[in-house]
PDB file of all heavy atoms in Angstrom:
ATOM      1  N   ALA A   1       0.831  -1.210   0.000  1.00 76.00           N
ATOM      2  CA  ALA A   1       0.000   0.000   0.000  1.00 76.00           C
ATOM      3  C   ALA A   1       0.866   1.261   0.000  1.00 76.00           C
ATOM      4  O   ALA A   1       0.503   2.264  -0.606  1.00 76.00           O
ATOM      5  CB  ALA A   1      -0.934  -0.011   1.204  1.00 76.00           C
ATOM      6  N   VAL A   2       2.012   1.192   0.686  1.00 81.00           N
ATOM      7  CA  VAL A   2       2.931   2.339   0.690  1.00 81.00           C
ATOM      8  C   VAL A   2       3.417   2.618  -0.725  1.00 81.00           C
ATOM      9  O   VAL A   2       3.492   3.772  -1.152  1.00 81.00           O
ATOM     10  CB  VAL A   2       4.118   2.078   1.646  1.00 81.00           C
ATOM     11  CG1 VAL A   2       5.194   3.135   1.469  1.00 81.00           C
ATOM     12  CG2 VAL A   2       3.635   2.029   3.084  1.00 81.00           C
ATOM     13  N   GLY A   3       3.716   1.563  -1.470  1.00 84.00           N
ATOM     14  CA  GLY A   3       4.141   1.730  -2.849  1.00 84.00           C
ATOM     15  C   GLY A   3       3.071   2.381  -3.707  1.00 84.00           C
ATOM     16  O   GLY A   3       3.375   3.182  -4.595  1.00 84.00           O
ATOM     17  N   ILE A   4       1.826   2.059  -3.427  1.00 80.00           N
ATOM     18  CA  ILE A   4       0.726   2.678  -4.158  1.00 80.00           C
ATOM     19  C   ILE A   4       0.679   4.172  -3.861  1.00 80.00           C
ATOM     20  O   ILE A   4       0.422   4.983  -4.752  1.00 80.00           O
ATOM     21  CB  ILE A   4      -0.610   1.983  -3.820  1.00 80.00           C
ATOM     22  CG1 ILE A   4      -0.595   0.558  -4.401  1.00 80.00           C
ATOM     23  CG2 ILE A   4      -1.790   2.762  -4.365  1.00 80.00           C
ATOM     24  CD1 ILE A   4      -1.720  -0.306  -3.931  1.00 80.00           C
ATOM     25  N   THR A   5       0.981   4.552  -2.616  1.00 78.00           N
ATOM     26  CA  THR A   5       0.972   5.983  -2.288  1.00 78.00           C
ATOM     27  C   THR A   5       2.097   6.729  -3.010  1.00 78.00           C
ATOM     28  O   THR A   5       1.991   7.933  -3.219  1.00 78.00           O
ATOM     29  CB  THR A   5       1.109   6.234  -0.769  1.00 78.00           C
ATOM     30  OG1 THR A   5       2.381   5.781  -0.319  1.00 78.00           O
ATOM     31  CG2 THR A   5      -0.003   5.570   0.005  1.00 78.00           C
ATOM     32  N   PHE A   6       3.158   6.016  -3.400  1.00 82.00           N
ATOM     33  CA  PHE A   6       4.233   6.658  -4.151  1.00 82.00           C
ATOM     34  C   PHE A   6       3.741   7.178  -5.505  1.00 82.00           C
ATOM     35  O   PHE A   6       4.351   8.055  -6.093  1.00 82.00           O
ATOM     36  CB  PHE A   6       5.409   5.704  -4.373  1.00 82.00           C
ATOM     37  CG  PHE A   6       6.230   5.428  -3.139  1.00 82.00           C
ATOM     38  CD1 PHE A   6       7.159   4.403  -3.131  1.00 82.00           C
ATOM     39  CD2 PHE A   6       6.088   6.178  -1.979  1.00 82.00           C
ATOM     40  CE1 PHE A   6       7.933   4.134  -2.010  1.00 82.00           C
ATOM     41  CE2 PHE A   6       6.851   5.925  -0.852  1.00 82.00           C
ATOM     42  CZ  PHE A   6       7.772   4.900  -0.867  1.00 82.00           C
ATOM     43  N   VAL A   7       2.646   6.590  -6.009  1.00 79.00           N
ATOM     44  CA  VAL A   7       2.065   7.080  -7.257  1.00 79.00           C
ATOM     45  C   VAL A   7       1.426   8.448  -7.011  1.00 79.00           C
ATOM     46  O   VAL A   7       1.583   9.377  -7.801  1.00 79.00           O
ATOM     47  CB  VAL A   7       1.024   6.076  -7.804  1.00 79.00           C
ATOM     48  CG1 VAL A   7       0.325   6.637  -9.034  1.00 79.00           C
ATOM     49  CG2 VAL A   7       1.686   4.746  -8.127  1.00 79.00           C
ATOM     50  N   ALA A   8       0.705   8.569  -5.882  1.00 73.00           N
ATOM     51  CA  ALA A   8       0.006   9.822  -5.562  1.00 73.00           C
ATOM     52  C   ALA A   8       0.954  10.873  -5.000  1.00 73.00           C
ATOM     53  O   ALA A   8       0.819  12.061  -5.283  1.00 73.00           O
ATOM     54  CB  ALA A   8      -1.113   9.542  -4.567  1.00 73.00           C
ATOM     55  N   VAL A   9       1.910  10.437  -4.158  1.00 79.00           N
ATOM     56  CA  VAL A   9       2.875  11.349  -3.543  1.00 79.00           C
ATOM     57  C   VAL A   9       4.266  10.887  -3.999  1.00 79.00           C
ATOM     58  O   VAL A   9       4.910  10.085  -3.332  1.00 79.00           O
ATOM     59  CB  VAL A   9       2.778  11.320  -1.996  1.00 79.00           C
ATOM     60  CG1 VAL A   9       3.749  12.308  -1.382  1.00 79.00           C
ATOM     61  CG2 VAL A   9       1.363  11.565  -1.532  1.00 79.00           C
ATOM     62  N   PRO A  10       4.730  11.381  -5.130  1.00 83.00           N
ATOM     63  CA  PRO A  10       5.990  10.885  -5.700  1.00 83.00           C
ATOM     64  C   PRO A  10       7.204  11.126  -4.787  1.00 83.00           C
ATOM     65  O   PRO A  10       7.279  12.117  -4.074  1.00 83.00           O
ATOM     66  CB  PRO A  10       6.135  11.692  -6.998  1.00 83.00           C
ATOM     67  CG  PRO A  10       4.805  12.263  -7.277  1.00 83.00           C
ATOM     68  CD  PRO A  10       4.113  12.403  -5.959  1.00 83.00           C
ATOM     69  N   VAL A  11       8.119  10.175  -4.853  1.00 89.00           N
ATOM     70  CA  VAL A  11       9.392  10.305  -4.145  1.00 89.00           C
ATOM     71  C   VAL A  11      10.245  11.299  -4.927  1.00 89.00           C
ATOM     72  O   VAL A  11      10.355  11.215  -6.152  1.00 89.00           O
ATOM     73  CB  VAL A  11      10.107   8.937  -4.052  1.00 89.00           C
ATOM     74  CG1 VAL A  11      11.463   9.090  -3.405  1.00 89.00           C
ATOM     75  CG2 VAL A  11       9.246   7.938  -3.299  1.00 89.00           C
ATOM     76  N   SER A  12      10.843  12.255  -4.202  1.00 89.00           N
ATOM     77  CA  SER A  12      11.663  13.273  -4.857  1.00 89.00           C
ATOM     78  C   SER A  12      12.988  13.408  -4.107  1.00 89.00           C
ATOM     79  O   SER A  12      13.108  14.158  -3.151  1.00 89.00           O
ATOM     80  CB  SER A  12      10.905  14.602  -4.864  1.00 89.00           C
ATOM     81  OG  SER A  12      11.685  15.601  -5.465  1.00 89.00           O
ATOM     82  N   LEU A  13      13.986  12.635  -4.545  1.00 92.00           N
ATOM     83  CA  LEU A  13      15.292  12.634  -3.890  1.00 92.00           C
ATOM     84  C   LEU A  13      16.399  13.190  -4.785  1.00 92.00           C
ATOM     85  O   LEU A  13      17.272  13.901  -4.318  1.00 92.00           O
ATOM     86  CB  LEU A  13      15.663  11.211  -3.453  1.00 92.00           C
ATOM     87  CG  LEU A  13      14.746  10.568  -2.416  1.00 92.00           C
ATOM     88  CD1 LEU A  13      15.084   9.101  -2.243  1.00 92.00           C
ATOM     89  CD2 LEU A  13      14.853  11.297  -1.097  1.00 92.00           C
ATOM     90  N   VAL A  14      16.361  12.801  -6.048  1.00 93.00           N
ATOM     91  CA  VAL A  14      17.375  13.253  -6.998  1.00 93.00           C
ATOM     92  C   VAL A  14      16.685  13.805  -8.238  1.00 93.00           C
ATOM     93  O   VAL A  14      15.496  13.577  -8.456  1.00 93.00           O
ATOM     94  CB  VAL A  14      18.335  12.100  -7.399  1.00 93.00           C
ATOM     95  CG1 VAL A  14      19.136  11.619  -6.201  1.00 93.00           C
ATOM     96  CG2 VAL A  14      17.584  10.948  -8.040  1.00 93.00           C
ATOM     97  N   ASP A  15      17.454  14.507  -9.042  1.00 93.00           N
ATOM     98  CA  ASP A  15      16.913  15.077 -10.271  1.00 93.00           C
ATOM     99  C   ASP A  15      16.876  13.979 -11.338  1.00 93.00           C
ATOM    100  O   ASP A  15      17.775  13.860 -12.173  1.00 93.00           O
ATOM    101  CB  ASP A  15      17.765  16.259 -10.727  1.00 93.00           C
ATOM    102  CG  ASP A  15      17.148  16.988 -11.903  1.00 93.00           C
ATOM    103  OD1 ASP A  15      15.916  16.862 -12.085  1.00 93.00           O
ATOM    104  OD2 ASP A  15      17.892  17.678 -12.620  1.00 93.00           O
ATOM    105  N   ALA A  16      15.825  13.149 -11.251  1.00 93.00           N
ATOM    106  CA  ALA A  16      15.661  12.029 -12.183  1.00 93.00           C
ATOM    107  C   ALA A  16      14.170  11.724 -12.300  1.00 93.00           C
ATOM    108  O   ALA A  16      13.343  12.399 -11.683  1.00 93.00           O
ATOM    109  CB  ALA A  16      16.439  10.814 -11.678  1.00 93.00           C
ATOM    110  N   SER A  17      13.859  10.678 -13.035  1.00 91.00           N
ATOM    111  CA  SER A  17      12.458  10.313 -13.244  1.00 91.00           C
ATOM    112  C   SER A  17      11.823   9.817 -11.947  1.00 91.00           C
ATOM    113  O   SER A  17      12.515   9.457 -10.988  1.00 91.00           O
ATOM    114  CB  SER A  17      12.359   9.219 -14.311  1.00 91.00           C
ATOM    115  OG  SER A  17      12.930   8.021 -13.821  1.00 91.00           O
ATOM    116  N   ALA A  18      10.494   9.780 -11.937  1.00 88.00           N
ATOM    117  CA  ALA A  18       9.758   9.273 -10.773  1.00 88.00           C
ATOM    118  C   ALA A  18      10.123   7.814 -10.503  1.00 88.00           C
ATOM    119  O   ALA A  18      10.220   7.389  -9.349  1.00 88.00           O
ATOM    120  CB  ALA A  18       8.251   9.419 -10.996  1.00 88.00           C
ATOM    121  N   PHE A  19      10.361   7.054 -11.560  1.00 91.00           N
ATOM    122  CA  PHE A  19      10.727   5.647 -11.416  1.00 91.00           C
ATOM    123  C   PHE A  19      12.051   5.505 -10.665  1.00 91.00           C
ATOM    124  O   PHE A  19      12.157   4.725  -9.719  1.00 91.00           O
ATOM    125  CB  PHE A  19      10.813   4.979 -12.795  1.00 91.00           C
ATOM    126  CG  PHE A  19      11.187   3.533 -12.731  1.00 91.00           C
ATOM    127  CD1 PHE A  19      10.229   2.568 -12.437  1.00 91.00           C
ATOM    128  CD2 PHE A  19      12.491   3.125 -12.957  1.00 91.00           C
ATOM    129  CE1 PHE A  19      10.573   1.226 -12.373  1.00 91.00           C
ATOM    130  CE2 PHE A  19      12.851   1.791 -12.896  1.00 91.00           C
ATOM    131  CZ  PHE A  19      11.881   0.829 -12.603  1.00 91.00           C
ATOM    132  N   ILE A  20      13.068   6.254 -11.083  1.00 94.00           N
ATOM    133  CA  ILE A  20      14.394   6.199 -10.439  1.00 94.00           C
ATOM    134  C   ILE A  20      14.285   6.638  -8.979  1.00 94.00           C
ATOM    135  O   ILE A  20      14.864   6.014  -8.085  1.00 94.00           O
ATOM    136  CB  ILE A  20      15.421   7.075 -11.199  1.00 94.00           C
ATOM    137  CG1 ILE A  20      15.632   6.556 -12.614  1.00 94.00           C
ATOM    138  CG2 ILE A  20      16.734   7.174 -10.440  1.00 94.00           C
ATOM    139  CD1 ILE A  20      16.246   5.180 -12.712  1.00 94.00           C
ATOM    140  N   ASN A  21      13.539   7.701  -8.713  1.00 93.00           N
ATOM    141  CA  ASN A  21      13.357   8.172  -7.344  1.00 93.00           C
ATOM    142  C   ASN A  21      12.650   7.121  -6.488  1.00 93.00           C
ATOM    143  O   ASN A  21      13.000   6.927  -5.328  1.00 93.00           O
ATOM    144  CB  ASN A  21      12.572   9.493  -7.330  1.00 93.00           C
ATOM    145  CG  ASN A  21      13.480  10.683  -7.535  1.00 93.00           C
ATOM    146  OD1 ASN A  21      14.233  11.055  -6.664  1.00 93.00           O
ATOM    147  ND2 ASN A  21      13.414  11.268  -8.725  1.00 93.00           N
ATOM    148  N   THR A  22      11.680   6.432  -7.069  1.00 93.00           N
ATOM    149  CA  THR A  22      10.975   5.378  -6.335  1.00 93.00           C
ATOM    150  C   THR A  22      11.918   4.222  -6.012  1.00 93.00           C
ATOM    151  O   THR A  22      11.896   3.682  -4.903  1.00 93.00           O
ATOM    152  CB  THR A  22       9.764   4.884  -7.134  1.00 93.00           C
ATOM    153  OG1 THR A  22       8.882   5.988  -7.359  1.00 93.00           O
ATOM    154  CG2 THR A  22       9.031   3.785  -6.399  1.00 93.00           C
ATOM    155  N   VAL A  23      12.764   3.844  -6.976  1.00 94.00           N
ATOM    156  CA  VAL A  23      13.740   2.768  -6.741  1.00 94.00           C
ATOM    157  C   VAL A  23      14.675   3.159  -5.591  1.00 94.00           C
ATOM    158  O   VAL A  23      14.936   2.349  -4.691  1.00 94.00           O
ATOM    159  CB  VAL A  23      14.538   2.448  -8.025  1.00 94.00           C
ATOM    160  CG1 VAL A  23      15.729   1.547  -7.727  1.00 94.00           C
ATOM    161  CG2 VAL A  23      13.634   1.810  -9.071  1.00 94.00           C
ATOM    162  N   ILE A  24      15.160   4.388  -5.599  1.00 95.00           N
ATOM    163  CA  ILE A  24      16.047   4.856  -4.521  1.00 95.00           C
ATOM    164  C   ILE A  24      15.308   4.847  -3.186  1.00 95.00           C
ATOM    165  O   ILE A  24      15.852   4.423  -2.163  1.00 95.00           O
ATOM    166  CB  ILE A  24      16.611   6.260  -4.838  1.00 95.00           C
ATOM    167  CG1 ILE A  24      17.530   6.196  -6.066  1.00 95.00           C
ATOM    168  CG2 ILE A  24      17.364   6.834  -3.636  1.00 95.00           C
ATOM    169  CD1 ILE A  24      17.937   7.550  -6.616  1.00 95.00           C
ATOM    170  N   GLY A  25      14.047   5.292  -3.192  1.00 94.00           N
ATOM    171  CA  GLY A  25      13.238   5.273  -1.976  1.00 94.00           C
ATOM    172  C   GLY A  25      13.057   3.865  -1.430  1.00 94.00           C
ATOM    173  O   GLY A  25      13.166   3.629  -0.225  1.00 94.00           O
ATOM    174  N   CYS A  26      12.809   2.912  -2.318  1.00 95.00           N
ATOM    175  CA  CYS A  26      12.656   1.512  -1.902  1.00 95.00           C
ATOM    176  C   CYS A  26      13.966   0.954  -1.342  1.00 95.00           C
ATOM    177  O   CYS A  26      13.966   0.176  -0.381  1.00 95.00           O
ATOM    178  CB  CYS A  26      12.163   0.669  -3.070  1.00 95.00           C
ATOM    179  SG  CYS A  26      10.466   1.028  -3.567  1.00 95.00           S
ATOM    180  N   LEU A  27      15.095   1.371  -1.915  1.00 96.00           N
ATOM    181  CA  LEU A  27      16.399   0.942  -1.395  1.00 96.00           C
ATOM    182  C   LEU A  27      16.645   1.501   0.008  1.00 96.00           C
ATOM    183  O   LEU A  27      17.213   0.806   0.862  1.00 96.00           O
ATOM    184  CB  LEU A  27      17.519   1.368  -2.344  1.00 96.00           C
ATOM    185  CG  LEU A  27      17.595   0.603  -3.665  1.00 96.00           C
ATOM    186  CD1 LEU A  27      18.621   1.237  -4.603  1.00 96.00           C
ATOM    187  CD2 LEU A  27      17.924  -0.870  -3.429  1.00 96.00           C
ATOM    188  N   ILE A  28      16.212   2.726   0.252  1.00 95.00           N
ATOM    189  CA  ILE A  28      16.346   3.317   1.598  1.00 95.00           C
ATOM    190  C   ILE A  28      15.516   2.522   2.601  1.00 95.00           C
ATOM    191  O   ILE A  28      15.987   2.198   3.704  1.00 95.00           O
ATOM    192  CB  ILE A  28      15.945   4.808   1.581  1.00 95.00           C
ATOM    193  CG1 ILE A  28      17.003   5.621   0.832  1.00 95.00           C
ATOM    194  CG2 ILE A  28      15.748   5.352   3.001  1.00 95.00           C
ATOM    195  CD1 ILE A  28      16.609   7.055   0.530  1.00 95.00           C
ATOM    196  N   ILE A  29      14.298   2.168   2.227  1.00 95.00           N
ATOM    197  CA  ILE A  29      13.439   1.353   3.095  1.00 95.00           C
ATOM    198  C   ILE A  29      14.083  -0.012   3.326  1.00 95.00           C
ATOM    199  O   ILE A  29      14.088  -0.533   4.446  1.00 95.00           O
ATOM    200  CB  ILE A  29      12.028   1.216   2.479  1.00 95.00           C
ATOM    201  CG1 ILE A  29      11.315   2.576   2.492  1.00 95.00           C
ATOM    202  CG2 ILE A  29      11.207   0.158   3.209  1.00 95.00           C
ATOM    203  CD1 ILE A  29      10.035   2.611   1.682  1.00 95.00           C
ATOM    204  N   MET A  30      14.670  -0.587   2.275  1.00 97.00           N
ATOM    205  CA  MET A  30      15.316  -1.894   2.367  1.00 97.00           C
ATOM    206  C   MET A  30      16.478  -1.876   3.360  1.00 97.00           C
ATOM    207  O   MET A  30      16.573  -2.736   4.240  1.00 97.00           O
ATOM    208  CB  MET A  30      15.813  -2.306   0.977  1.00 97.00           C
ATOM    209  CG  MET A  30      16.467  -3.665   0.905  1.00 97.00           C
ATOM    210  SD  MET A  30      17.143  -4.027  -0.743  1.00 97.00           S
ATOM    211  CE  MET A  30      15.662  -4.050  -1.732  1.00 97.00           C
ATOM    212  N   VAL A  31      17.346  -0.894   3.244  1.00 96.00           N
ATOM    213  CA  VAL A  31      18.522  -0.813   4.120  1.00 96.00           C
ATOM    214  C   VAL A  31      18.102  -0.539   5.567  1.00 96.00           C
ATOM    215  O   VAL A  31      18.645  -1.133   6.504  1.00 96.00           O
ATOM    216  CB  VAL A  31      19.504   0.267   3.607  1.00 96.00           C
ATOM    217  CG1 VAL A  31      20.599   0.548   4.617  1.00 96.00           C
ATOM    218  CG2 VAL A  31      20.104  -0.149   2.278  1.00 96.00           C
TER     219      VAL A  31
END
């Protein structure tokens, strides 16, 4: 469900696509 919210509230960490930012966000959660 958290991943679904990433569609509505995009992850914004680096100057890249929403997909790349989501991958980085998921890696932060993973670590």
Side-chain angles (χ1 to χ4, degrees):
V2 170
I4 292 169
T5 65
F6 287 168
V7 175
V9 182
V11 176
S12 179
L13 297 171
V14 296
D15 187 22
S17 68
F19 180 81
I20 297 296
N21 275 287
T22 300
V23 169
I24 294 169
C26 291
L27 288 172
I28 289 170
I29 292 169
M30 182 184 296
V31 170

